[in-house]
């Protein structure tokens, strides 16, 4: 595929996974680094997210864990909590993934990620997660 084809393919995957939130990220980069926006679409989504070896659902679980572990990724977590819901994860599964991240990434990072998830769940009108166990 040429550069334009990779971008178009990535844009299709981006819209399926992230919807409007992903496009807003790309748009926000246009005035500062349009090439970074292009790479997010063409490489991250057109090449990586489109690989068949993991389902979109599994990719979002990995993404939530990595963003939580990195810390300071609240903007990206907002996009990817929405994406996780878009690809079929439940609020309980998302909360459990963020809770599990506390074991490896630490409680402060897990709390930050969980508060982002709470914001997304509230914005989408989703009910609170019940105590898991």
């Amino acid at each position: 595929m040429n550069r334009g084809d990779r971008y178009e393919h990535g844009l299709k995957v981006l819209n399926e996974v992230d919807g409007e939130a992903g496009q807003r990220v790309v748009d926000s980069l246009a005035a500062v680094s349009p090439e970074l926006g292009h790479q997010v679409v063409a490489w991250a989504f057109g090449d990586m997210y489109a690989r068949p070896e993991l389902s979109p659902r599994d990719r979002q679980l990995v993404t939530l864990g990595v963003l939580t572990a990195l810390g300071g990724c609240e903007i990206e977590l907002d996009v990817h909590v929405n994406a996780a819901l878009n690809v079929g994860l439940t609020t309980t599964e998302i909360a459990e993934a963020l809770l599990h991240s506390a074991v490896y990434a630490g409680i402060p990072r897990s709390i930050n990620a969980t508060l982002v998830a709470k914001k997304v769940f509230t914005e989408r009108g989703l009910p609170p997660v019940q105590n898991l166990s």
Side-chain angles (χ1 to χ4, degrees):
M1 277 195 269
N2 67 32
R3 181 176 168 88
D5 292 340
R6 286 180 60 236
Y7 185 86
E8 289 305 315
H9 176 67
L11 196 56
K12 180 179 179 286
V13 176
L14 174 75
N15 288 326
E16 290 170 359
V17 174
D18 285 349
E20 291 178 16
Q23 187 61 55
R24 281 194 302 272
V25 171
V26 174
D27 292 346
S28 72
L29 296 169
V32 175
S33 181
E35 183 60 24
L36 180 56
H38 176 88
Q39 293 301 324
V40 166
V41 174
W43 180 70
F45 285 88
D47 293 344
M48 299 307 292
Y49 267 82
R51 292 176 57 80
E53 288 77 12
L54 288 177
S55 70
R57 184 183 188 287
D58 291 344
R59 288 189 189 283
Q60 285 307 314
L61 279 172
V62 171
T63 301
L64 293 175
V66 170
L67 291 174
T68 299
L70 286 171
C73 298
E74 287 75 18
I75 292 170
E76 292 83 4
L77 273 165
D78 187 290
V79 171
H80 287 283
V81 169
N82 273 295
L85 292 165
N86 293 345
V87 298
L89 284 162
T90 67
T91 56
T92 300
E93 291 168 326
I94 292 168
E96 187 66 20
L98 300 177
L99 172 63
H100 186 74
S101 295
V103 176
Y104 297 97
I107 289 175
R109 289 188 174 166
S110 179
I111 289 171
N112 289 346
T114 299
L115 292 176
V116 171
K118 176 185 176 187
K119 175 184 161 290
V120 171
F121 298 166
T122 300
E123 289 171 354
R124 289 180 71 150
L126 299 171
V129 175
Q130 300 300 313
N131 193 356
L132 303 178
S133 44

